[in-house]
Amino acid sequence: MLHVEHLNGGYIGKQVLHDVSFEVKKGELVGLIGLNGAGKSTTIKHILGLLEPISGSVEVDGETLQSSEKNYRKKISYIPETPILYDTLTLREHLLLMGKAYEIDSRDLEMRTERLARDMRMEKQLDWFPSVFSKGMRQKAMILSALVTKTPLLIVDEPFVGLDPLAIRQLLRLFDEYKQECAILMSTHILETAERHCDRFVFLHQGVVIATGTAAQLREKYALRPDATLDDIYVEAIEAEERAQ
Amino acid sequence: MRVFNARFSSWMEEVVKYSRYVANGGLLFTLYFTLIYGGFVYNQFLNGLDPAFPSEWVVALVFLLLPLGHRPRTLLQEADQVFLLPELGDIRSYMNGVRLFNVVFASVRALVVMLVVLPLIVRTQALTPAEVGAIVAASVLLSVAGRLAKLELVSNVVLFSALASGVIMIFGVPLLTPVPALVALVLLHLRRHDRIPLLDWLTLEQKSKAQFDRVISWFVDLPAMREEVKERSVIVRALERSVLRRADAARYVYGLRVIRSKDSLDLVFRLSVVAFIVMWLSGGWYVGLVVPLFVGLTALQLVPLFKRLDTMSIASWLPITRLERLSGYKWWMNRLLIGQLVVLTVGSVAFGARVDAVAGVVLGYLVIRYYLGRLK
């Protein structure tokens, strides 16, 4: 579903990503794991088309940004780390906007809206403006806005920040359901949750992919015992990389 | 006082920085032109004024309005919630600095208003210099009291004083008009805060800063601005069936913004009201030319909003191209500005415009096309 090939990129005058390649298949939840400043957000910005790559390519479900910007963007929904909402639109209107932007049938949209709002306990807040939302509610509003689209690829940046435990559990359930038909790329620092729910991992360090694979494959790669946690694997991967340098 | 002085210096730096942009911007000339035209029109109005004009009622109304609409600055920052807390016990000097700062602001505002109102009073009322001084003093005191009331979180007291001063003016005792205003100040002094009401002052600062940013954004792009929103469910419901339901994503989002934000529909309304007042004051003198002037002023303020909205929004990653966003925004701006042009033209004809009304429409239309053409 998502193919990132030899991506070099970053900001003007500062290259952050070096030859980044990985893929996310349909039915997979892939964890993008890295320290602060490893290049996770930069990678996501490149996939979203918010940054221009120096070289390399990003393809989503056969579309690239260069072939058709609109078709490419229709394949992706995104939950940012910091919620960005329109002050002038209620939550219901945000979902309507999503429906219009992604050309979703109005009956489908209505059904999805009702269901997602119920699942995320936001039914009462559907007609509220974001200015009265708590931090968690804003994050839930972003989640609803992304999930209502049912795009082939869902990109999630630190989704658990500000969410209560019930909401986290419900979100993970929704992810499990969502990935049956789509692919999910999730960047997170909460490795314990990532370990339990991600199918594969992409370890990013200083803008370079240092390892990819399932938890079992990564344990084998770094010769760790079978009960090693993702924390252990991650620390070992970083240390191995730094030793190699 | 050390904290206040530091904040005051930063405020000054900001004002100086933005003044440069303002001084170099094209809007300044439009503002000059508006002021000169306004002054000329006002002079025409004063020359033809009937001595029986009830200027005491105008003064009474001004007394009532002066305490309203103040947005005091407190120069607080969000980080103060954490870092200023330990100093709150001995921060009275900061509070006094803030109060003094706002007293100066309120006084200047009252004096500017009086500069306009005084010629009207002295031409229609037989007043002694002491009485004129008392009227000026009352307006300054009421303006100051209105601003300080916001800082001390006291409501209504000042409005009662303003009403009392107004009634005294109407009853023909202008010498006594400062008395109720003084009473309000004494009451405010008695009810002043000893410690900073941190959250309230922070909210005041944010609102005031937002207003400052809004004015500056006419000249410079300030993308990270918060918007004030009104629900306006009646208008939204009315447009939902006819326009919003059929609109594409870009038109939908900008439509709701135009309706609900205080920067769009409100602005058109406010400027149109001012335009009508100018038309009335001009007494029919080239009244048609007021139309392009105010349509231009509205367009000048509405057009730069697109960049601000476009920079920080979900739209950057949604399947809505920039071209579609531009076209959606232009669609609304075109209708808003043409609507204003039509309403103002009808108004100008009612106020006596004939050939100049045609010139006004043509010029107004060209102004709209010019500013919308700058949206790229």
Side-chain angles (χ1 to χ4, degrees), chain B residues 265 267-273 275-276 279 291-299 302 333-347 368:
Chain B
L265 207 58
L267 179 85
V268 176
F269 180 74
R270 281 197 302 266
L271 284 177
S272 300
V273 168
F276 282 130
M279 285 179 194
V291 177
L293 193 66
F294 277 86
V295 168
L297 272 177
T298 314
L302 287 180
M333 287 307 103
N334 205 14
R335 272 145 191 83
L336 263 187
L337 293 169
I338 295 281
Q340 190 194 29
L341 178 70
V342 170
V343 170
L344 290 186
T345 304
V346 171
I368 293 171

Side-chain angles (χ1 to χ4, degrees), chain A residues 190-202:
Chain A
I190 305 176
L191 298 188
E192 199 188 332
T193 313
E195 186 177 2
R196 272 191 280 135
H197 292 272
C198 291
D199 301 299
R200 283 195 305 118
F201 304 94
V202 175

Side-chain angles (χ1 to χ4, degrees), chain A residues 70 73 84 88 93 100, chain B residues 244-245 247 260 318-319 324:
Chain A
K70 207 171 165 73
R73 289 188 189 280
I84 307 172
T88 46
E93 287 159 356
K100 284 174 183 288
Chain B
L244 293 173
R245 188 169 292 173
R260 287 181 173 146
L318 292 188
E324 287 172 331

Side-chain angles (χ1 to χ4, degrees), chain A residues 1-3 23-30 61 151-153 177-184 199-200:
Chain A
M1 194 64 75
L2 167 68
H3 295 274
E23 62 172 357
V24 184
K25 293 177 190 143
K26 183 180 172 183
E28 270 190 332
L29 168 53
V30 172
D61 198 20
T151 52
L153 175 66
E177 198 180 301
Y178 199 96
K179 76 175 185 184
Q180 302 304 318
E181 297 167 37
C182 319
I184 306 175
D199 301 299
R200 283 195 305 118

Side-chain angles (χ1 to χ4, degrees), chain B residues 238-307:
Chain B
L239 286 178
E240 212 156 43
R241 291 189 200 99
S242 53
V243 183
L244 293 173
R245 188 169 292 173
R246 287 199 300 272
D248 64 15
R251 262 186 216 175
Y252 180 75
V253 72
Y254 285 128
L256 286 174
R257 197 208 160 271
V258 161
I259 297 163
R260 287 181 173 146
S261 168
K262 283 181 141 183
D263 281 344
S264 302
L265 207 58
D266 284 34
L267 179 85
V268 176
F269 180 74
R270 281 197 302 266
L271 284 177
S272 300
V273 168
V274 176
F276 282 130
I277 294 172
V278 172
M279 285 179 194
W280 172 62
L281 290 174
S282 72
W285 188 82
Y286 288 116
V287 77
L289 297 180
V290 177
V291 177
L293 193 66
F294 277 86
V295 168
L297 272 177
T298 314
L300 255 167
Q301 294 176 45
L302 287 180
V303 165
L305 281 181
F306 175 75
K307 263 190 192 166

